[in-house]
Amino acid sequence: MLDSLVGERWLNNRLCSPRDHAILESAYQKNSKPDKEGRLNLVKQVDLGEKEVQVGFLETRRECQAKVAIDMVPEPPAKRSQKIEATSPTRAHSTL
């Protein structure tokens, strides 16, 4: 599931070219929290600054965590009247 979320942040960044997006997405898949040296290596490969890369990783992690948290929230139970109507026989058959 997280695979589909990775890269959403990079896609939303209009400064990011498709080539840069592919590099950043691949790097995120390998390590979602690169250290300073890792970020500097990425900066050499893409047309973004270190701060942009750092913030992009931060926001992508935040979005992924929020999506996972939302997906884990259980659906509210159906109202009691809906359950009764769905399980009870129709009134036409129960009249004598």
Side-chain angles (χ1 to χ4, degrees):
M1 181 180 96
L2 289 177
D3 294 343
S4 64
L5 301 174
V6 172
E8 285 183 15
R9 174 71 199 137
W10 309 116
L11 286 172
N12 293 335
N13 185 348
R14 293 182 184 163
L15 301 174
C16 187
S17 70
R19 178 186 161 277
D20 291 350
H21 173 264
I23 292 169
L24 293 167
E25 186 174 347
S26 174
Y28 186 89
Q29 290 283 349
K30 293 174 187 170
N31 180 11
S32 65
K33 294 184 178 184
D35 59 5
K36 186 169 182 77
E37 183 180 333
R39 287 192 307 271
L40 290 174
N41 287 334
L42 283 171
V43 168
K44 292 176 185 176
Q45 298 175 39
V46 298
D47 293 329
L48 297 172
E50 182 190 356
K51 194 67 172 178
E52 292 170 307
V53 171
Q54 183 180 18
V55 169
F57 272 81
L58 173 72
E59 291 180 355
T60 302
R61 285 192 307 269
R62 186 178 299 146
E63 288 173 8
C64 288
Q65 290 169 352
K67 284 271 195 175
V68 169
I70 289 171
D71 290 342
M72 293 177 67
V73 173
E75 291 184 25
K79 292 183 179 177
R80 184 176 175 91
S81 61
Q82 291 174 342
K83 287 182 180 178
I84 293 171
E85 289 174 11
T87 59
S88 65
T90 59
R91 292 181 182 249
H93 297 299
S94 63
T95 58
L96 294 173

